[in-house]
Structures are given as structure tokens and as C-alpha cells.
Amino acid sequence: MSIEKIACHCCDLVQELSAIQPGQKAHCSRCGHLLTVHHTGGLDTPMALAFSGLVFLLLSLPFPFMAFESQGRVQEVSLANSGFDLLQQGFPLLALLLTLFILLIPALTLCTYLLILFTLRQEQSPPWLYRLTRMLFILHPWGMAEVFLIGVLVSLVKIAGMADIIIGVSFWAYVLFALCLITTITRVDPAQLWQKLDQIAGIHRKLPSTEPGSALKNQLQSCHHCGLLHPLDTANCERCGSPLHARFPNSLQKTWAYLITAILLYLPANLYPIMNTTLLGNSEPSTILGGVLVLWEMGSYPIALIVFIASIMIPIGKMLALIWLAYSVQHGHQHRVSERIKMYRLTELIGRWSMIDVFVVAVLAALVQLGGLVSITPGIAVIAFAGVVILTMLSALSFDPRLIWDSLSQEEMAAINRSQVPLNDLLDDLR
Ligand SMILES: [Zn+2]
Ligand SMILES: [Zn+2]
């Protein structure tokens, strides 16, 4: 890896990434945030994984995903038709969310990876490849293939007592697709990919001379997308073209706006039924908490616990964490810096897992449609709950963690810097 200076995404400390060898990773010397991983194996491994993932995704579309059999009647569902089934039942928003999060975005992510890696392997790095790489990293948090699979497992437990469930070929193809997608993402490091683009294009970026400290203190700003450092008066990133800002514009206002809307939506999401089960003409609505209690009473304790954590604990915990982060920054709090940074990272990482319950309802509504015998329809709360998850994700994405450090006094900052560990000591062997 060539020498590069980057500012930490979490605390803005400028650091040099020259000493990292293949197989090592580097963490920020001040806040511990993972700065880069230097993978061994080059471009071929992630390219093969992305290609295999796409093949598995194509195989998962035409065949049955699952079938539901009760008293001689069979209802089959395929991934390609699941969105269409929900649309026909009169739930266009749920159909759109399902198609976007489990099919379109993951497929687009893999196609983009494949195109970028293939072009780089041809020793080419045209300007459009930079824009494509920027788009790829914007898409990342919104692909939810693995969250969907957990949702499918929960659905299976929920209806196991009602009828016979047949797992189709598509299900296994989708599992392999999700595995390939996750492995491709973990095998490509963003900092390394941006460097590779420059290296192949033959561009040598000028390293700014810096004093120890934050990028802002050095009159620099780092690109939100590619991390390249620029002087404060530069309007657009010279590498990826994104508009530049020293801090996210109106970060706190956006964080609060998304958060307050999420809190408001959380009430209907819990008070109204998330789905209605009609068994032999009797319709029974169930709320999120009601669903957890039913699973618990059925004796499916691990699944009840997963749904309870994903649907109740994570959204509440995430909203409380965001309130604490935004409030403490707004009031210039100086204490518990490392706890707040850890809380921010956790919030960023786990938010999407709350989508499990939305996927459970979507799968059940598409699958369990046996007319008067048994049928499941989504309740109004599912849209409100999906709104809560999306809005809390947007709220976390709008929060700029560097603001936590900006409000620290000189003494506070010096105390943290005294405990700092040299970068080389934090280079771990990956294997
Ligand atoms: Zn840091
Ligand atoms: Zn950039």
C-alpha cells in the first residue's frame, strides 16, 4: 500500500497509513475506529465471489422459494413473484420495500462490485468508475439479504404448527447468494479500493503537510465518500466529485428531525396490529409485542428472544442512543467520549436488523393465502414500523460523530491524547 494520509471517520484525527502490510488492519490511534484492512489475495477472490453471488441470485428467482400446504391445498411463493403478490393484495409500499431491500439493492450492489473489480483487473480506471464506487458505498447499508433470511426463519417457526412447509430450491440459492454478498463486502476495503483506482489511473495525489491533530485543526476537510483530504476552501472532491464539507451540513437538525418522526411513528407501530391471521373465518389481529408473546407461549424461546431484541429492544435502544448523542453534542458535554463513540458505532451497525419483523409479515402475507381456510394479511403497523427502522437509520447516518470531539476542551483532548497508542502497535495480524 502506498503512503496515504486519512482523517478518521469518527474523530477526524489525521493519520498516515504507510506501514500496513498485506494481511494487517489499522485502527484509529485515538478512538479505535477501523481505518483500513489490507486484504491478501488481490481482486480475483472478491470478483469470483461477486460473480457466484449473481449466479445464485438468478437461480433463486424462477423456482419455488417456499410452499405452504394445509388440508390438500398448496400455496407456493417464488421470490420473483413475492413483490407482485403483495401488490395484488393491496400493499404496494410493503411490496416496494421488500423488492428494494432484498432483491434490487443487493443485486445492484453485486453488479457494481463485479463491474468495478472487472474493470480494475483490465488495468483500467476511467472517471465513471470513481462515480460508480461512490454509489456502491452509498448503497451498502440498504442491502438486507441476511436480515431477510433471519426473517424467513422466524416466519417458518410462526407457521410451523399451522401446516406443512416445503423449502424450495430458491431458498437454498438465496442463502448461497447472501453468503457470497457478505463475503464480497468484507473482502473489499473501501480505502484500498480508492487507492487502487488512483494507482491504475496513474494518479499520484499530493499529500498535505499536517501537524498532529484533527483535519479541521490543519485547515483540511476529508471527503465523506472517498476520504481524500482537501483544503477547507475546496468545493468538490477531486477524486470522486462529491460536495465537500468539514462536517455534515445541518447534522444535528437532520438527526433530530428523523429521530422525532421515528418516535412519533413508533406509537402506531406498537399500538396497531402488525398482521391479521384469519383461521376458518375467524380473524385475529396481533401486535409486535403480541407476536413475541405467542412465540414464547409456543415454546420457541430463542426465536421469541430474537424478535424481542430486533423489534423492541433495538429500536428503543437506538432511539435513546441517538437522543443521548444529539443532546450531548448540542450541549457541549465533555464526558464519556469513548462510550458515546462506541454507542454511535453500535447504532450504525445494528439498526437494519430491526427490519426482521417487516420481512416476517411480508413473507407470511405472500405465503399464507389459502382463502377461507387460513390467510395472513399485513396490518397498518407494519408500514409504521418499517418507517421507524428507515428513519432511525437515516438519523444515525445524518449524525456526524466528529462533533463529539469538536466540543471537547483542550484539557479533555490532551487527556485522551496522552492515552493514545502508536499506530503500529494497533496493527493486528488478520490471520
Ligand atoms: Zn478516530
Ligand atoms: Zn471523494
Side-chain angles (χ1 to χ4, degrees):
M1 184 183 253
S2 60
I3 295 172
E4 192 180 359
K5 271 182 192 171
I6 61 166
C8 171
H9 161 72
C10 272
C11 72
D12 208 30
L13 183 72
V14 178
Q15 283 153 97
E16 216 171 79
L17 295 179
S18 52
I20 294 140
Q21 301 301 316
Q24 290 184 319
K25 55 184 168 181
H27 294 267
C28 171
S29 61
R30 183 157 69 183
C31 74
H33 176 67
L34 180 67
L35 298 173
T36 186
V37 184
H38 198 173
H39 293 290
T40 50
L43 302 175
D44 288 353
T45 316
M47 204 170 82
L49 284 164
F51 181 75
S52 315
L54 274 179
V55 172
F56 288 129
L57 180 65
L58 286 177
L59 285 175
S60 73
L61 292 176
F63 306 107
F65 188 75
M66 277 197 303
F68 178 77
E69 189 185 0
S70 182
Q71 297 186 11
R73 291 182 65 180
V74 180
Q75 165 84 14
E76 237 175 41
V77 67
S78 74
L79 270 185
N81 287 337
S82 56
F84 188 65
D85 291 346
L86 287 170
L87 194 66
Q88 271 191 329
Q89 287 177 38
F91 302 100
L93 260 174
L94 198 56
L96 181 73
L97 290 180
L98 188 74
T99 315
L100 267 181
F101 290 153
I102 72 154
L103 289 177
L104 289 184
I105 294 179
L108 195 60
T109 306
L110 270 188
C111 287
T112 314
Y113 265 116
L114 197 59
L115 189 57
I116 293 170
L117 296 169
F118 181 75
T119 316
L120 286 176
R121 208 172 172 275
Q122 303 295 309
E123 296 292 317
Q124 286 175 15
S125 182
W128 57 263
L129 208 60
Y130 285 84
R131 288 192 291 277
L132 205 64
T133 308
R134 191 176 91 187
M135 186 196 82
L136 175 70
F137 294 121
I138 295 174
L139 282 179
H140 263 182
W142 302 100
M144 301 189 186
E146 70 283 25
V147 184
F148 172 67
L149 278 178
I150 301 294
V152 173
L153 291 180
V154 176
S155 323
L156 289 179
V157 173
K158 280 200 173 210
I159 52 172
M162 278 185 200
D164 293 332
I165 311 292
I166 303 144
I167 302 281
V169 179
S170 275
F171 174 82
W172 299 112
Y174 195 86
V175 170
L176 292 172
F177 151 72
L179 281 175
C180 288
L181 176 66
I182 296 166
T183 332
T184 308
I185 291 173
T186 49
R187 290 292 304 184
V188 180
D189 178 69
Q192 267 192 75
L193 187 62
W194 286 112
Q195 276 208 4
K196 191 83 184 165
L197 285 162
D198 274 354
Q199 192 191 325
I200 289 177
I203 299 170
H204 298 281
R205 309 277 174 196
K206 207 170 136 269
L207 286 179
S209 53
T210 49
E211 304 271 310
S214 71
L216 195 58
K217 198 179 145 205
N218 280 288
Q219 300 296 306
L220 294 169
Q221 53 185 341
S222 76
C223 171
H224 303 318
H225 297 284
C226 73
L228 191 68
L229 288 166
H230 297 78
L232 280 180
D233 54 4
T234 319
N236 287 83
C237 174
E238 67 174 60
R239 180 151 69 181
C240 72
S242 319
L244 291 171
H245 309 280
R247 299 290 177 261
F248 298 163
N250 306 317
S251 166
L252 281 182
Q253 287 93 325
K254 284 183 193 165
T255 307
W256 278 120
Y258 288 129
L259 186 58
I260 291 167
T261 323
I263 293 169
L264 291 176
L265 273 181
Y266 192 69
L267 293 174
N270 278 280
L271 295 175
Y272 286 98
I274 196 159
M275 65 179 191
N276 295 296
T277 311
T278 311
L279 199 62
L280 299 170
N282 294 323
S283 184
E284 197 179 313
S286 64
T287 57
I288 294 177
L289 193 60
V292 175
L293 291 175
V294 168
L295 282 169
W296 190 264
E297 281 162 11
M298 281 164 65
S300 310
Y301 305 121
I303 300 288
L305 211 60
I306 289 176
V307 180
F308 180 74
I309 291 172
S311 303
I312 294 170
M313 275 177 67
I314 293 181
I316 293 180
K318 198 171 168 181
M319 286 188 279
L320 289 175
L322 285 164
I323 291 173
W324 182 36
L325 289 171
Y327 180 85
S328 64
V329 164
Q330 206 161 359
H331 290 81
H333 287 183
Q334 310 269 319
H335 53 271
R336 296 186 187 275
V337 175
S338 61
E339 282 94 337
R340 280 189 279 159
I341 287 289
K342 274 182 204 147
M343 187 64 84
Y344 164 74
R345 279 193 217 128
L346 196 67
T347 314
E348 218 186 10
L349 199 74
I350 58 171
R352 49 213 280 287
W353 285 94
S354 303
M355 268 299 187
I356 288 178
D357 236 11
V358 176
F359 293 142
V360 169
V361 175
V363 168
L364 292 181
L367 185 65
V368 185
Q369 289 301 328
L370 295 182
L373 197 62
V374 57
S375 64
I376 290 179
T377 49
I380 185 77
V382 73
I383 296 300
F385 189 71
V388 171
V389 181
I390 293 170
L391 286 163
T392 47
M393 281 176 74
L394 288 171
S395 179
L397 287 170
S398 308
F399 182 77
D400 194 331
R402 295 168 296 186
L403 296 174
I404 297 174
W405 302 86
D406 289 347
S407 53
L408 293 189
S409 65
Q410 291 297 330
E411 301 83 61
E412 197 71 30
M413 192 76 90
I416 292 167
N417 282 342
R418 266 199 301 279
S419 66
Q420 102 181 18
V421 192
L423 178 66
N424 280 342
D425 288 359
L426 285 159
L427 298 178
D428 311 313
D429 282 330
L430 279 178
R431 289 176 196 90

Coordinates of all heavy atoms in Angstrom, one line a residue, residues 1-6 15-20 35-38 43 120 125 130 133 137 188-205 207 225-228 239:
M1 N 0.8 -1.2 0.0 CA 0.0 0.0 0.0 C 0.9 1.3 0.0 O 1.8 1.3 0.8 CB -0.9 0.0 1.2 CG -1.9 1.1 1.3 SD -2.8 1.1 2.8 CE -4.4 0.6 2.2
S2 N 0.6 2.2 -0.9 CA 1.4 3.4 -0.9 C 1.0 4.3 0.3 O 0.0 4.1 1.0 CB 1.1 4.2 -2.2 OG -0.2 4.5 -2.3
I3 N 1.8 5.3 0.5 CA 1.6 6.2 1.7 C 0.3 7.0 1.4 O 0.1 7.6 0.4 CB 2.8 7.1 1.9 CG1 4.0 6.3 2.3 CG2 2.5 8.2 3.0 CD1 5.3 7.1 2.3
E4 N -0.6 7.0 2.4 CA -1.7 7.9 2.3 C -2.1 8.4 3.7 O -1.9 7.8 4.7 CB -2.9 7.1 1.7 CG -4.0 8.1 1.4 CD -5.3 7.5 0.8 OE1 -5.3 6.2 0.7 OE2 -6.2 8.2 0.5
K5 N -2.5 9.7 3.7 CA -3.0 10.3 4.9 C -4.5 10.3 4.9 O -5.1 10.7 3.9 CB -2.5 11.7 5.0 CG -1.1 11.8 5.7 CD -0.7 13.2 5.8 CE 0.7 13.3 6.2 NZ 1.3 14.7 6.1
I6 N -5.1 9.8 6.0 CA -6.6 10.0 6.0 C -7.0 10.5 7.4 O -6.2 10.4 8.4 CB -7.3 8.6 5.8 CG1 -6.9 7.6 6.8 CG2 -7.1 8.1 4.4 CD1 -7.9 6.4 6.8
Q15 N -4.1 10.6 10.1 CA -3.1 9.6 10.4 C -2.6 9.1 9.0 O -3.2 9.2 8.0 CB -3.8 8.4 11.1 CG -4.1 8.7 12.5 CD -5.3 7.9 13.1 OE1 -5.1 6.9 13.6 NE2 -6.4 8.5 12.9
E16 N -1.3 8.6 9.1 CA -0.7 8.1 7.9 C -0.8 6.6 7.8 O -0.6 5.9 8.8 CB 0.8 8.4 8.0 CG 1.4 8.8 6.7 CD 2.8 9.4 6.8 OE1 3.7 8.5 7.0 OE2 2.9 10.6 6.8
L17 N -1.1 6.1 6.7 CA -1.3 4.6 6.5 C -0.2 3.9 5.7 O -0.5 3.2 4.8 CB -2.7 4.3 5.8 CG -3.9 4.8 6.6 CD1 -5.2 4.5 5.7 CD2 -4.1 4.1 7.9
S18 N 1.0 4.3 6.1 CA 2.1 3.8 5.2 C 2.6 2.4 5.6 O 3.1 1.6 4.8 CB 3.3 4.7 5.2 OG 3.6 5.0 6.6
A19 N 2.4 2.0 6.9 CA 3.1 0.8 7.4 C 2.3 -0.5 7.3 O 2.7 -1.5 7.7 CB 3.5 1.1 8.9
I20 N 1.1 -0.4 6.7 CA 0.2 -1.5 6.7 C 0.6 -2.5 5.6 O 0.6 -2.2 4.4 CB -1.2 -1.1 6.6 CG1 -1.6 -0.3 7.8 CG2 -2.2 -2.3 6.5 CD1 -2.4 0.9 7.6
L35 N -9.7 1.8 10.4 CA -9.4 2.7 9.3 C -9.3 1.9 8.0 O -9.9 2.3 7.0 CB -8.1 3.4 9.6 CG -8.0 4.3 10.8 CD1 -6.6 4.8 11.0 CD2 -9.0 5.5 10.7
T36 N -8.6 0.8 8.0 CA -8.4 0.0 6.8 C -8.0 -1.4 7.1 O -7.4 -1.7 8.1 CB -7.4 0.7 5.9 OG1 -7.4 0.0 4.6 CG2 -6.0 0.7 6.4
V37 N -8.4 -2.3 6.1 CA -7.9 -3.7 6.2 C -7.2 -3.9 4.9 O -7.8 -3.7 3.8 CB -9.1 -4.7 6.3 CG1 -8.6 -6.1 6.5 CG2 -10.0 -4.3 7.5
H38 N -5.9 -4.4 5.0 CA -5.2 -4.7 3.7 C -5.4 -6.2 3.5 O -4.7 -7.0 4.0 CB -3.7 -4.3 3.9 CG -3.1 -4.2 2.5 ND1 -1.8 -3.7 2.4 CD2 -3.5 -4.5 1.3 CE1 -1.5 -3.8 1.1 NE2 -2.5 -4.2 0.4
L43 N -7.7 -8.9 -6.4 CA -9.1 -8.6 -6.8 C -9.8 -9.9 -7.2 O -11.0 -9.9 -7.3 CB -9.0 -7.7 -8.1 CG -8.4 -6.3 -7.9 CD1 -8.3 -5.6 -9.2 CD2 -9.1 -5.5 -6.8
L120 N -11.0 -2.9 -13.1 CA -9.7 -2.7 -12.5 C -8.8 -3.8 -12.9 O -7.6 -3.6 -13.1 CB -9.8 -2.6 -11.0 CG -10.4 -1.3 -10.4 CD1 -10.6 -1.5 -8.8 CD2 -9.5 -0.1 -10.7
S125 N -9.0 2.4 -15.2 CA -9.7 3.2 -14.2 C -10.3 4.5 -14.7 O -9.8 5.5 -14.4 CB -8.7 3.4 -13.0 OG -9.3 4.0 -12.0
Y130 N -15.0 6.0 -10.8 CA -15.0 6.7 -9.5 C -16.4 7.0 -9.0 O -16.7 6.8 -7.8 CB -14.2 8.0 -9.6 CG -12.7 7.8 -9.7 CD1 -12.1 7.5 -10.9 CD2 -11.9 7.9 -8.6 CE1 -10.7 7.3 -11.0 CE2 -10.5 7.8 -8.6 CZ -9.9 7.5 -9.8 OH -8.6 7.3 -9.9
T133 N -18.0 3.8 -7.8 CA -17.5 3.3 -6.5 C -18.2 4.1 -5.4 O -18.6 3.6 -4.3 CB -16.0 3.5 -6.4 OG1 -15.4 2.9 -7.5 CG2 -15.4 2.9 -5.2
F137 N -20.8 2.5 -2.2 CA -20.7 2.6 -0.7 C -21.9 3.3 -0.1 O -22.2 3.2 1.0 CB -19.4 3.3 -0.3 CG -18.2 2.4 -0.6 CD1 -17.2 2.9 -1.5 CD2 -18.1 1.2 -0.1 CE1 -16.1 2.1 -1.8 CE2 -17.0 0.3 -0.4 CZ -16.0 0.8 -1.2
V188 N -13.5 -6.5 0.4 CA -13.1 -5.3 -0.3 C -13.1 -4.1 0.7 O -14.1 -3.8 1.2 CB -14.1 -4.9 -1.5 CG1 -13.6 -3.7 -2.2 CG2 -14.1 -6.1 -2.5
D189 N -11.9 -3.6 0.9 CA -11.8 -2.5 1.8 C -11.9 -1.2 1.1 O -11.2 -1.0 0.1 CB -10.4 -2.6 2.5 CG -10.2 -1.4 3.5 OD1 -10.9 -1.4 4.5 OD2 -9.4 -0.5 3.1
P190 N -12.8 -0.3 1.5 CA -13.0 1.0 0.8 C -11.7 1.8 0.6 O -11.5 2.2 -0.5 CB -14.0 1.7 1.7 CG -14.7 0.7 2.5 CD -13.7 -0.4 2.7
A191 N -10.9 2.0 1.6 CA -9.7 2.8 1.5 C -8.8 2.2 0.4 O -8.2 2.9 -0.4 CB -9.0 2.9 2.8
Q192 N -8.7 0.8 0.5 CA -7.8 0.2 -0.5 C -8.3 0.3 -1.9 O -7.6 0.5 -2.9 CB -7.8 -1.3 -0.2 CG -6.6 -1.7 0.7 CD -6.6 -3.2 0.7 OE1 -6.1 -3.8 -0.3 NE2 -7.1 -3.8 1.7
L193 N -9.7 0.2 -2.0 CA -10.3 0.3 -3.4 C -10.1 1.6 -4.0 O -9.7 1.7 -5.2 CB -11.8 0.0 -3.3 CG -12.5 -0.2 -4.6 CD1 -12.0 -1.3 -5.4 CD2 -14.0 -0.4 -4.4
W194 N -10.2 2.7 -3.2 CA -10.0 4.1 -3.7 C -8.5 4.2 -4.2 O -8.2 4.9 -5.2 CB -10.3 5.1 -2.7 CG -11.8 5.3 -2.5 CD1 -12.5 5.0 -1.4 CD2 -12.8 5.8 -3.4 NE1 -13.9 5.3 -1.6 CE2 -14.0 5.8 -2.8 CE3 -12.7 6.3 -4.7 CZ2 -15.2 6.2 -3.4 CZ3 -13.8 6.8 -5.3 CH2 -15.1 6.8 -4.7
Q195 N -7.6 3.7 -3.4 CA -6.2 3.7 -3.7 C -5.9 3.0 -5.0 O -5.1 3.4 -5.8 CB -5.3 3.1 -2.6 CG -5.1 4.1 -1.5 CD -3.8 3.8 -0.8 OE1 -3.0 2.9 -1.2 NE2 -3.5 4.6 0.2
K196 N -6.5 1.9 -5.2 CA -6.3 1.0 -6.4 C -6.8 1.8 -7.6 O -6.1 1.7 -8.7 CB -7.1 -0.3 -6.2 CG -6.8 -1.3 -7.2 CD -5.6 -2.1 -6.8 CE -5.2 -3.1 -7.9 NZ -3.9 -3.7 -7.7
L197 N -7.9 2.5 -7.5 CA -8.5 3.3 -8.6 C -7.4 4.3 -9.1 O -7.1 4.4 -10.3 CB -9.7 4.0 -8.2 CG -11.0 3.2 -8.1 CD1 -12.1 3.9 -7.3 CD2 -11.6 2.8 -9.5
D198 N -6.8 5.0 -8.1 CA -5.8 6.0 -8.4 C -4.6 5.4 -9.0 O -4.0 5.9 -9.9 CB -5.4 6.8 -7.1 CG -6.4 7.9 -6.8 OD1 -7.2 8.2 -7.7 OD2 -6.2 8.5 -5.7
Q199 N -4.2 4.3 -8.4 CA -2.9 3.6 -8.8 C -3.0 3.2 -10.3 O -2.1 3.4 -11.0 CB -2.8 2.4 -7.9 CG -1.4 1.7 -7.9 CD -1.5 0.3 -7.2 OE1 -2.2 0.2 -6.2 NE2 -0.8 -0.6 -7.7
I200 N -4.2 2.6 -10.6 CA -4.3 2.1 -12.0 C -4.5 3.3 -13.0 O -4.0 3.3 -14.1 CB -5.5 1.1 -12.1 CG1 -5.0 -0.2 -11.4 CG2 -5.9 0.8 -13.5 CD1 -6.0 -1.3 -11.3
A201 N -5.2 4.4 -12.5 CA -5.3 5.6 -13.4 C -4.0 6.3 -13.5 O -3.9 7.3 -14.2 CB -6.4 6.5 -12.8
G202 N -3.0 5.9 -12.7 CA -1.7 6.6 -12.7 C -1.7 8.0 -12.1 O -0.9 8.9 -12.4
I203 N -2.6 8.2 -11.1 CA -2.7 9.5 -10.4 C -2.0 9.4 -9.1 O -2.3 8.5 -8.3 CB -4.2 9.8 -10.2 CG1 -4.9 9.9 -11.6 CG2 -4.4 11.2 -9.5 CD1 -6.4 10.0 -11.5
H204 N -1.1 10.4 -8.8 CA -0.5 10.4 -7.5 C -1.0 11.7 -6.8 O -0.7 12.8 -7.2 CB 1.0 10.5 -7.7 CG 1.6 9.3 -8.3 ND1 1.8 8.1 -7.6 CD2 2.0 9.0 -9.6 CE1 2.2 7.2 -8.5 NE2 2.3 7.7 -9.7
R205 N -1.8 11.5 -5.8 CA -2.4 12.6 -5.0 C -1.3 13.2 -4.2 O -0.5 12.5 -3.5 CB -3.5 12.1 -4.1 CG -4.6 11.3 -4.8 CD -5.6 12.1 -5.6 NE -6.5 11.3 -6.3 CZ -7.3 11.7 -7.3 NH1 -7.3 13.0 -7.6 NH2 -8.0 10.9 -8.0
L207 N 0.2 14.7 -1.0 CA -0.1 14.6 0.4 C 0.0 16.0 1.1 O 1.0 16.6 1.0 CB 0.9 13.7 1.1 CG 0.8 12.2 0.8 CD1 1.9 11.4 1.6 CD2 -0.6 11.7 1.3
H225 N -17.1 10.5 1.2 CA -17.2 9.2 0.4 C -15.9 8.5 0.3 O -15.8 7.3 0.5 CB -17.9 9.4 -0.9 CG -19.3 9.9 -0.8 ND1 -20.3 9.1 -0.4 CD2 -19.8 11.2 -0.8 CE1 -21.4 9.8 -0.3 NE2 -21.1 11.1 -0.6
C226 N -14.8 9.2 -0.2 CA -13.6 8.5 -0.5 C -12.5 8.8 0.5 O -11.4 8.2 0.5 CB -13.1 8.8 -1.9 SG -12.4 10.5 -2.1
G227 N -12.7 9.8 1.4 CA -11.8 10.1 2.5 C -10.6 10.9 2.1 O -9.7 11.2 2.9
L228 N -10.5 11.4 0.8 CA -9.3 12.2 0.4 C -9.4 13.5 1.1 O -10.4 14.2 1.2 CB -9.4 12.4 -1.1 CG -8.1 13.0 -1.8 CD1 -7.0 12.0 -1.7 CD2 -8.4 13.4 -3.2
R239 N -11.3 13.6 -6.3 CA -11.2 12.2 -6.7 C -12.6 11.7 -7.1 O -12.7 11.1 -8.1 CB -10.6 11.4 -5.5 CG -10.6 9.9 -5.8 CD -9.5 9.2 -5.1 NE -9.7 9.1 -3.6 CZ -8.9 8.6 -2.8 NH1 -7.7 8.1 -3.2 NH2 -9.2 8.5 -1.5

